[in-house]
Amino acid sequence: MAGADLLPGLVPLLVGGLLLCSLALLRVARGGTAIATLAAQGVLLAAVAGWRGGGQGSAELLATAGVLLLGAGLLWGARGLLAGWPAPPERGGAPVAGPVAGVATVAVAALLLLPATRGSPAAFPVREELSVALAMLLLGMLVTILRRGAAMQVAGLLSLGHGLVLAALAVPGLPLPVALAVVLPGSALLVALRGGLLRHLRDGAPDPPGSTPH
Amino acid sequence: MPSLAAVLAWALVLLPFAAAAALLSVPRPREAGWGNLAAAALGLLLCLGLLAAPRGSGALGLLRADALALWLLLPGSLLGLTAALFATAQPPPVLPAAARGQPVLFQLLLGTHHLALLADHPGLCWLALAAAVLAAAGAVALSGDPAALRAARRMAVLCGAGLALALFGTVLLILAVPPEAAVPLSWAALRAAAPGADAGLLNLGWVFLLLGYGTMAGLVPLPGWLPAAQAAAPASLAPLLAGLLPVAALHAVLRAAAVPAAAAAALPPGPWLAAFGLAALLLAAALPRGGDARHLLGWAGNAQIGLAALGFGLGAPAAGLVQLAGQALLRGAALFALGRAATLRGDSGLAGLVAAQPALGWGLGLALAGLAGLPPFAPFFAELGLGLAAARVSGWWLPFLLLGLLAVGAALAAAMQALHAAPPAAEPAFRADWAVLGPLWLHLALAVLLGLAAPPLLAEAAAVLR
């Protein structure tokens, strides 16, 4: 726990960064930027898991950090696939609707979880992280609902997956399988992207004749 | 030395995954189809062996083969065998990759279903259901046409969101109990530790689990993915998709519900489950269906799952279990008939199927009648038990239950009328072979038998839920 004593504010800082990445996904303008944001979120999450793992001497958390870094590397490598792919704006509504809904979502997550975790000895030390995990989960759903296009829906799901891993860090035995369950389908989706599967799914319509697949 | 039950349970779980890996290397669809059938038959034998083996409390390390899991495994394994037999009579997909992938996805759907039912570790149960969703989305997208890809995308997004909520609920449930009380972690350990757990976290965890796994089972608030996916899936895989995934997801809901139910300070989960079940029934009854007969059957299936949830929620577990098993058999039967009719008749739909092919048409008609809640099929007796339970708990449930049953029954009756219409004049004659009619009529016979004679396992399975 020496590391944690040295820098007590590091984990909250990293967790705050995770939340900002989720909020940013509501507004990014291009698919490539969304994937880069997700990769950054993956690195921050790996740092949280690694810091915890180092502090507690937990090999499982360190392995989880490794898996998350691998996932972030894959995402970073996939940026080029989606570089020219514009991320369509929110469905209807004003441009501020997404961020306002995002902030409201974070508030709802905090209001739901902070009182509920007060009585539990196991949950109390990680109550802020659980609130952020729930907020990331709900924000991921919001991205899949508010943003159009397959790329942004995949981004929303992956960000939601990062929220799940953050929640799972609180329970011994869960983080590694959950991280694998998030990273492996993420990689499968990247393979699908490279194979052109999502080209058919883009905006729910086939490509116009002569268009270039990304 | 592992017990016989443990060996059989692990063999039952691992066999489909091994078969899927082996089928990947079989290039010809016909041979792959027979391999698929052989693996499914062996799976049913293992399931029967597990039923016969001494099992005590059912705990087998990470797995638990108790009466509840076995009650749901049996129709699932049988559906695996009959659907594999049905698949041998269906033409393989046109795309070579799809033809090779179909038996692999078939076995993956079976394997993940078996693992989800037998898993005693909440995380393993979640992983099995996550893998089941991936396999099911692959199955729906197999044909590669835009409508199927859209349905697969919708399914992946909605079930992905459901899985996320369910895992978050699982984490909250685990954090609610004292850390040392639930080691090693299992559904049974969580239930045993629940009396000393934090009630607020238990309640919150249960709501997330109900929303998450409920979405995958076809309950409210997001039930629409299942009819669309069922309609878009290849005819050989649609019976598995309809009969396995919702049942495994509802089973996870039931395992989760047992935890807050064991804590006196937490909210009782029964009324929540009953309300979600009734809402699913009413939504399935009220929504405009459009689309083809498989869409209609998908919504009727959602209503059946809603009825089962209502039964569990109202404290009538035997009725819920009979409903679950009966609907799986009848939906399978109806999808065999519909799939074969669609393959042979193209767009003719149900019109005049009885005149064109009596054995197939009457079989489909009886399956629809069973799903509509008519005797002598199992859902009739389950719904009778449900009505009695509803009257016992509170009279207010009854009018809504009757309204939902009547509306779903009316929609299915309209479909049955179409079966007896005049067949299209230019339709060529066709025959449905034994590989289709055998599974269809076997399912119908078992659905009748299940309604008329309650096997001893039913009482044991219901006792697990009390």
Side-chain angles (χ1 to χ4, degrees):
Chain A
M1 296 296 281
D5 291 341
L6 269 178
L7 286 172
L10 182 67
V11 169
L13 193 67
L14 292 171
V15 170
L18 288 171
L19 189 56
L20 280 180
C21 288
S22 284
L23 281 167
L25 282 176
L26 285 164
R27 289 299 300 152
V28 292
R30 306 200 71 80
T33 316
I35 299 295
T37 308
L38 278 172
Q41 195 176 45
V43 171
L44 287 171
L45 189 54
V48 174
W51 189 259
R52 282 266 187 79
Q56 298 171 8
S58 162
E60 188 199 11
L61 287 178
L62 290 174
T64 304
V67 170
L68 289 167
L69 274 180
L70 177 71
L74 284 170
L75 283 169
W76 188 258
R79 253 180 337 138
L81 283 173
L82 298 169
W85 193 339
E90 298 98 306
R91 294 175 199 274
V96 292
V100 168
V103 171
T105 302
V106 176
V108 166
L111 286 173
L112 262 179
L113 265 178
L114 289 179
T117 46
R118 203 170 286 146
S120 163
F124 192 81
V126 288
R127 58 207 293 260
E128 283 86 5
E129 286 163 45
L130 280 177
S131 299
V132 171
L134 178 59
M136 285 170 67
L137 197 149
L138 297 176
L139 284 170
M141 286 185 194
L142 208 59
V143 170
T144 59
I145 293 167
L146 289 180
R147 302 299 299 266
R148 283 178 297 200
M152 289 311 297
Q153 293 202 333
V154 172
L157 280 179
L158 284 173
S159 148
L160 178 157
H162 284 158
L164 282 183
V165 178
L166 180 63
L169 290 179
V171 180
L174 271 191
L176 189 56
V178 173
L180 284 170
V182 169
V183 168
L184 289 181
S187 309
L189 278 172
L190 293 177
V191 172
L193 277 171
R194 189 175 282 282
L197 172 65
L198 292 188
R199 185 163 51 88
H200 297 282
L201 298 176
R202 197 185 325 166
D203 298 331
D207 286 339
S211 65
T212 313
H214 297 291
Chain B
M1 186 77 180
S3 66
L4 176 65
V7 171
L8 288 171
W10 277 110
L12 181 61
V13 166
L14 294 176
L15 171 75
F17 294 106
L23 287 169
L24 262 179
S25 59
V26 181
R28 293 168 59 173
R30 190 169 172 77
E31 279 75 11
W34 288 112
N36 189 33
L37 179 61
L42 189 54
L44 180 59
L45 284 178
L46 286 171
C47 186
L48 292 172
L50 189 56
L51 184 64
R55 54 180 183 274
S57 69
L60 310 165
L62 282 173
L63 306 184
R64 176 176 291 271
D66 61 5
L68 173 61
L70 287 174
W71 175 264
L72 299 176
L73 264 176
L74 265 176
S77 298
L78 177 77
L79 183 61
L81 176 62
T82 50
L85 183 59
F86 169 74
T88 59
Q90 287 291 100
V94 180
L95 298 171
R100 187 175 268 206
Q102 188 165 285
V104 174
L105 289 169
F106 188 107
Q107 289 297 326
L108 288 179
L109 281 168
L110 267 183
T112 50
H113 166 262
H114 295 351
L115 181 57
L117 290 182
L118 285 170
D120 196 24
H121 190 290
L124 188 62
C125 178
W126 181 85
L127 275 179
L129 285 168
V133 167
L134 283 178
V140 173
L142 206 59
S143 69
D145 67 63
L149 291 172
R150 270 197 300 276
R153 168 189 179 177
R154 188 177 178 194
M155 176 187 180
V157 169
L158 293 181
C159 287
L163 280 166
L165 291 174
L167 185 67
F168 195 78
T170 305
V171 169
L172 293 184
L173 224 53
I174 295 168
L175 289 175
V177 302
E180 67 286 353
V183 178
L185 185 60
S186 67
W187 286 120
L190 285 175
R191 187 177 177 175
D198 179 72
L201 268 187
L202 273 187
N203 292 337
L204 204 56
W206 157 243
V207 170
F208 277 110
L209 278 157
L210 178 59
L211 283 171
Y213 287 139
T215 295
M216 294 176 60
L219 297 180
V220 287
L222 301 166
W225 66 268
L226 188 54
Q230 187 179 303
S236 306
L237 294 172
L240 285 191
L241 186 66
L244 301 187
L245 186 55
V247 171
L250 190 58
H251 167 262
V253 172
L254 296 177
R255 295 286 185 197
V259 181
L267 291 174
W272 290 80
L273 191 52
F276 271 64
L278 185 62
L281 171 67
L282 293 176
L283 197 65
L287 278 182
R289 283 162 205 93
D292 59 7
R294 286 214 278 174
H295 268 103
L296 169 68
L297 204 56
W299 282 110
N302 277 357
Q304 302 293 320
I305 293 287
L307 282 166
L310 184 60
F312 295 124
L314 291 177
L321 289 169
V322 170
Q323 178 73 27
L324 266 188
Q327 66 88 30
L329 290 168
L330 290 168
R331 276 167 95 177
L335 283 166
F336 293 147
L338 275 177
R340 193 59 180 160
T343 304
L344 295 170
R345 311 175 93 207
D347 294 332
S348 298
L350 301 182
L353 189 62
V354 167
Q357 176 49 251
L360 197 65
W362 278 111
L364 177 55
L366 287 174
L368 294 178
L371 288 170
L374 296 181
F377 295 101
F380 167 76
F381 297 100
E383 286 154 22
L384 214 56
L386 256 174
L388 291 173
R392 196 176 57 238
V393 171
S394 163
W396 285 106
W397 292 99
L398 267 180
F400 295 108
L401 173 62
L402 287 175
L403 184 69
L405 284 175
L406 283 175
V408 171
L412 289 169
M416 282 187 271
Q417 278 183 332
L419 285 169
H420 292 274
E427 185 174 75
F430 67 86
R431 272 186 56 232
D433 57 28
W434 66 271
V436 178
L437 295 178
L440 165 60
W441 285 93
L442 175 66
H443 276 225
L444 290 173
L446 288 174
V448 172
L449 201 62
L450 181 63
L452 297 178
L457 183 64
L458 175 62
E460 271 188 72
V464 173
L465 293 169
R466 285 205 177 94

